[in-house]
Amino acid sequence: MKKTIIMALMAAASVSASAQQKQTIEIPSWLSNVKLSGYGMTQYQYSGQKDAESNSFNIRMARISLEGRIAGDFYWKTQIQFNGNTSTLGSSPRMVDLFAEWQKYEYFKVKIGQFKNPFTFENPMHPIDQGFMGYSQNVSKLAGFSDRAGEHASNGRDIGLQFQGDFLKNANGRNLLHYQIGVFNGQGTNTKDVDQQKNVIGGVWVMPVSGMRIGAFGWTGSYARKGTWTDEHDASYTADIQERSGVRKLSQNRYAFSFEYKQDGWTVRSEYIHSTGKAFAKSITNFNDANAKDCNLNTKIGDKAQGVYGLVIAPLAQLPKNSRIDIKARYDMYQPNGKSNMQRTQYEAGLNFHIGKRISILTEYALINDKTLAKHNYSMADAEVCFRF
């Protein structure tokens, strides 16, 4: 009996090994370094805003990506965000990245597809590495996350073509200068151009010492919708108000100045952004709701906006097994109309716990001062458990 059982187990193991061999997929020689990765960010957030108090658990982010190389010189990546539902463009499972980049020369690389706008230092950062409960207000509103112009949430991305590179090496072989410039639809993610006018976005920065970057960025173009609107006139206009329809284009011109120093576990970063350009009255989440065809303007915030932030992340304690504790603080100010009467300021402080290289716990307290509210001041608390694979 024992002999029969042993023979049966050996036969099963042999069949299993044979099946595994048959399932092995050989990667073609021209395709290499294929890697599957992803991350998740779970969140608890409390807000004490008067008459809008809330506290809730949330899935801030859940993404999975596939990347690799083609014929050595080409890097490619595709990334999908899964959290949310399928009813809205802003929160539904959707593609966030799909691009290829020719990287044969360090000083001249060409990228095409859907990827991050080359605007500011913070925009292209991984949300876990960014370290706070969200990107700064000026980056969120003026780099394509929840854009003030009314564009759907696009995670700082657009579809286009970009050139970038690093050059001017010093005696130690470290590049001192970086440039990047691209042309984009100007409509955000997963969307074709509407007005046939492209956005031109770019930046340049110098790296005078190791870990330091000093940069400047520019953005010129438009955001457009096809729909209906009511003509706006000044007080001297006496004719009847007219309803119009068609494509309405809003020019967008922005610039940013950036500074960052990152060395030995320390991060010091500050960025100022200024924007000129009108905004639509209602933001959109998808192309099936009425807002997608509403081309009326947001006259309350006008055609100017600006904001600045400054942050410090410092090592507090080094723990065994590549773990550590960081202490952090951020000043984050944004003026949606470019004036102090609508200014919203966040004063934030907290601790980040990094357990190895795969797990991070981000915590912080924020005092909010929002001058558009009857009661300006209120508190927020945020805690996030993040993991990567």
Side-chain angles (χ1 to χ4, degrees):
M1 185 67 179
K2 290 182 180 180
K3 185 175 180 181
T4 304
I5 294 174
I6 292 172
M7 292 181 64
L9 290 173
M10 291 178 63
S14 177
V15 171
S16 176
S18 177
Q20 289 179 2
Q21 289 178 356
K22 290 179 180 179
Q23 290 174 0
T24 301
I25 300 175
E26 290 190 11
I27 298 176
S29 58
W30 52 268
L31 185 64
S32 60
N33 298 324
V34 178
K35 182 175 71 172
L36 177 69
S37 62
Y39 63 93
M41 303 179 73
T42 63
Q43 179 184 50
Y44 171 82
Q45 190 171 90
Y46 161 81
S47 173
Q49 181 181 336
K50 187 177 181 180
D51 299 324
E53 294 86 351
S54 65
N55 71 90
S56 178
F57 292 102
N58 178 47
I59 303 299
R60 180 182 164 190
M61 206 91 72
R63 290 180 176 173
I64 189 168
S65 64
L66 194 65
E67 60 189 305
R69 304 196 73 85
I70 300 175
D73 295 335
F74 288 88
Y75 168 75
W76 61 270
K77 181 177 181 179
T78 180
Q79 183 172 213
I80 296 174
Q81 183 164 320
F82 287 98
N83 61 306
N85 53 56
T86 56
S87 63
T88 65
L89 184 66
S91 61
S92 64
R94 64 196 185 278
M95 181 180 68
V96 290
D97 287 303
L98 179 63
F99 65 84
E101 183 175 47
W102 183 59
Q103 298 180 337
K104 185 172 184 177
Y105 301 108
E106 186 179 31
Y107 56 84
F108 184 72
K109 301 176 183 179
V110 184
K111 182 188 291 188
I112 188 168
Q114 180 169 288
F115 48 90
K116 287 279 192 174
N117 292 315
F119 192 71
T120 75
F121 288 159
E122 187 168 271
N123 180 28
M125 292 187 66
H126 192 291
I128 298 178
D129 296 333
Q130 191 272 338
F132 287 81
M133 63 179 175
Y135 290 84
S136 59
Q137 295 179 89
N138 59 355
V139 172
S140 295
K141 293 296 183 181
L142 303 175
F145 283 83
S146 179
D147 204 280
R148 81 180 293 273
E151 174 187 293
H152 64 275
S154 293
N155 303 103
R157 293 165 166 85
D158 206 338
I159 305 173
L161 172 70
Q162 175 179 294
F163 305 96
Q164 66 176 341
D166 299 274
F167 60 98
L168 198 61
K169 293 183 182 296
N170 64 7
N172 296 323
R174 182 175 58 82
N175 287 304
L176 301 177
L177 188 64
H178 173 89
Y179 73 92
Q180 53 189 35
I181 186 168
V183 291
F184 302 86
N185 284 341
Q187 297 299 126
T189 54
N190 307 314
T191 310
K192 292 182 178 180
D193 205 345
V194 174
D195 60 358
Q196 311 311 311
Q197 176 181 341
K198 300 297 181 286
N199 282 3
V200 179
I201 308 172
V204 60
W205 60 78
V206 295
M207 297 165 280
V209 299
S210 179
M212 180 181 290
R213 296 189 292 172
I214 304 172
F217 299 84
W219 176 319
T220 184
S222 65
Y223 171 60
R225 289 182 187 174
K226 186 175 183 180
T228 60
W229 68 95
T230 301
D231 257 351
E232 300 88 8
H233 303 289
D234 59 32
S236 64
Y237 190 85
T238 58
D240 292 336
I241 295 176
Q242 296 182 353
E243 293 288 338
R244 296 190 178 275
S245 63
V247 173
R248 192 171 201 185
K249 176 174 63 176
L250 306 183
S251 296
Q252 304 293 320
N253 296 288
R254 299 168 178 175
Y255 62 83
F257 298 110
S258 307
F259 170 85
E260 181 183 66
Y261 180 73
K262 192 171 183 179
Q263 193 81 353
D264 299 325
W266 285 78
T267 298
V268 180
R269 186 170 65 254
S270 181
E271 298 190 276
Y272 169 80
I273 309 177
H274 184 275
S275 173
T276 302
K278 296 179 180 179
F280 289 116
K282 297 179 180 178
S283 297
I284 65 173
T285 56
N286 62 59
F287 301 111
N288 296 319
D289 63 22
N291 294 348
K293 296 182 180 180
D294 187 340
C295 298
N296 290 295
L297 299 183
N298 187 337
T299 56
K300 186 177 181 180
I301 64 173
D303 64 352
K304 287 184 174 62
Q306 62 180 348
V308 64
Y309 75 88
L311 64 82
V312 177
I313 302 175
L316 183 64
Q318 188 67 42
L319 304 175
K321 297 182 179 180
N322 295 317
S323 299
R324 71 180 193 276
I325 302 175
D326 294 338
I327 188 170
K328 63 184 179 183
R330 178 170 70 174
Y331 169 82
D332 183 4
M333 184 275 288
Y334 177 64
Q335 297 174 345
N337 65 345
K339 300 177 182 178
S340 61
N341 67 322
M342 294 185 70
Q343 180 173 307
R344 186 178 187 275
T345 309
Q346 297 182 185
Y347 305 90
E348 303 165 66
L351 296 172
N352 291 343
F353 304 84
H354 300 285
I355 305 170
K357 297 180 179 180
R358 301 293 183 183
I359 299 175
S360 297
I361 302 173
L362 316 179
T363 66
E364 68 184 87
Y365 166 81
L367 175 63
I368 312 298
N369 179 271
D370 189 340
K371 293 186 177 180
T372 65
L373 302 176
K375 187 175 181 180
H376 298 340
N377 297 321
Y378 64 94
S379 296
M380 290 185 67
D382 186 271
E384 303 179 21
V385 177
C386 315
F387 62 89
R388 317 181 204 216
F389 63 89

